[in-house]
Amino acid sequence: MHNSLKQQALAAGVLAFALAAPSVSSAASADGAGATQANPVPVAQAEAITWSKVPTQFLAAGAVNFAYRELGQQNGGTPVVFLNHLAAVLDNWDPRVVDGIAAKHHVIVFDNRGVGASSGSSPNSIEQMADDAITFIKALGYPQVDLFGFSMGGMISQEIALKEPQLVRKMILAGTGPAGGEGISEVAGVANVDLLKGLFTGPDPKQFLFFTRTPKGIEAGKAFLARLKERVDNRDKEITFAAYIAQLQALKAWGQKQPADLSVLKQPVLIVNGDHDRMVPTVNSRDLARRIPHSTLAIYPDAGHGGIFQFHVTFVPEALAFLAR
């Protein structure tokens, strides 16, 4: 391999682990391969459990053992399924966002195929990721769900709604964009630049990738990174280098794909982002709002890709109100 290619591969490998949840003490308690579904948490106990303590369960569906966690079962109603961002595993979700939505709704958060503790190899297309997510959702046995997709997860959510519209009641699309959207095929380049910034200046790359460099943005980034460490025991496995590369390939293909006809989406959709998203430029959120008929757009000021985490005190009530309508 040419030296420059070796350097790019090394940088990508380092970035994959840098973007994963911060290491605290231990990995997931069970390997996805060969695992069986854990006993669900009794409803009577569910009220006292938070994201930092909820156990990881496994569900065999198709040829995959999916790792997942669920909260708020006592709330009943339509479950809200969370779909994650590039290089992320279960422990990359902000506890304030998960716990906030689980206070009123049944929340299910999972690792897609080949990610974290889920078995198999990660697909290299958004369409295949959507197929795997559909397999998982149908295996749960619910006739309909709400989807909450952040970044790459929002792209997967769009594909799910296009492929299986009857399966989706409502969607929250955060920090994301449509197929063929502006700058989406360049995510790898943006991420690698910020990785180098982190390597030379010290901060976690997510401080650059998710937040603005203003005093408020820097403060919000530090608080977010601290919250990601709240779960100490039985943390998820970090993403592998192979899975990360597959995700980058999927994002590049999605960014070069012909736009889909989003006017066919009949579900209510809440679209949210920061006003300075460098990973998936904010113009894509505005584009989604123009193209999806029953959509509401919220843009947070002085915020980047992680606007929902920076403004979790504002976002969670907005999400709850949207889901309750």
Side-chain angles (χ1 to χ4, degrees):
M1 182 184 291
H2 190 276
N3 284 341
S4 64
L5 293 180
K6 287 182 179 178
Q7 291 168 355
Q8 291 175 22
L10 177 61
V14 173
L15 178 63
F17 291 101
L19 287 176
S23 297
V24 178
S25 65
S26 60
S29 58
D31 192 314
T36 56
Q37 183 177 6
N39 292 326
V41 179
V43 171
Q45 298 177 16
E47 294 183 67
I49 296 178
T50 62
W51 183 240
S52 65
K53 298 293 184 182
V54 66
T56 302
Q57 303 180 63
F58 291 88
L59 177 63
V64 181
N65 282 309
F66 289 95
Y68 73 103
R69 299 174 189 158
E70 60 180 332
L71 289 168
Q73 298 95 311
Q74 74 278 2
N75 295 315
T78 304
V80 184
V81 177
F82 285 41
L83 296 105
N84 221 336
H85 65 83
L86 169 69
V89 297
L90 295 174
D91 293 314
N92 280 101
W93 279 108
D94 190 331
R96 299 301 176 274
V97 171
V98 182
D99 288 337
I101 294 179
K104 298 291 185 180
H105 294 270
H106 181 185
V107 164
I108 300 169
V109 188
F110 78 109
D111 283 331
N112 214 335
R113 175 159 60 102
V115 176
S118 289
S119 67
S121 299
S122 178
N124 63 355
S125 77
I126 298 298
E127 294 82 0
Q128 290 175 306
M129 293 177 189
D131 288 339
D132 288 332
I134 290 168
T135 296
F136 170 74
I137 292 167
K138 288 186 174 181
L140 290 169
Y142 297 104
Q144 199 170 51
V145 298
D146 294 328
L147 298 179
F148 174 19
F150 173 49
S151 191
M152 186 178 73
M155 301 168 197
I156 298 170
S157 297
Q158 293 171 58
E159 277 296 313
I160 293 171
L162 290 169
K163 288 172 177 283
E164 299 271 357
Q166 77 289 344
L167 191 61
V168 182
R169 187 183 74 108
K170 293 185 176 184
M171 288 193 292
I172 300 173
L173 303 177
T176 193
E182 181 177 324
I184 293 175
S185 63
E186 306 302 322
V187 167
V190 173
N192 279 309
V193 167
D194 284 356
L195 165 66
L196 293 175
K197 286 182 184 177
L199 289 176
F200 284 111
T201 63
D204 186 298
K206 287 188 288 295
Q207 182 77 68
F208 297 111
L209 291 166
F210 283 14
F211 301 91
T212 59
R213 300 307 295 159
T214 66
K216 287 184 178 179
I218 293 170
E219 180 183 359
K222 291 178 179 178
F224 167 71
L225 292 169
R227 294 195 297 271
L228 292 188
K229 297 179 181 179
E230 289 179 356
R231 185 182 182 95
V232 175
D233 298 320
N234 301 313
R235 291 178 64 85
D236 200 1
K237 291 184 174 181
E238 294 180 343
I239 192 166
T240 64
F241 176 65
Y244 174 68
I245 294 300
Q247 290 183 350
L248 287 181
Q249 292 171 344
L251 285 170
K252 183 173 183 179
W254 177 266
Q256 296 174 342
K257 182 180 177 180
Q258 286 297 311
D261 179 9
L262 299 180
S263 69
V264 302
L265 296 178
K266 305 304 180 186
Q267 298 89 347
V269 180
L270 174 62
I271 301 165
V272 292
N273 205 346
D275 62 351
H276 284 82
D277 187 343
R278 294 178 57 251
M279 289 199 74
V280 182
T282 307
V283 64
N284 289 291
S285 294
R286 296 190 173 97
D287 186 23
L288 283 174
R290 285 193 296 268
R291 294 170 56 193
I292 298 175
H294 308 288
S295 63
T296 302
L297 177 66
I299 301 294
Y300 301 128
D302 189 14
H305 193 58
I308 59 171
F309 307 136
Q310 179 172 341
F311 282 86
H312 62 86
V313 173
T314 302
F315 166 68
V316 168
E318 288 181 343
L320 292 175
F322 167 75
L323 293 170
R325 287 201 289 269

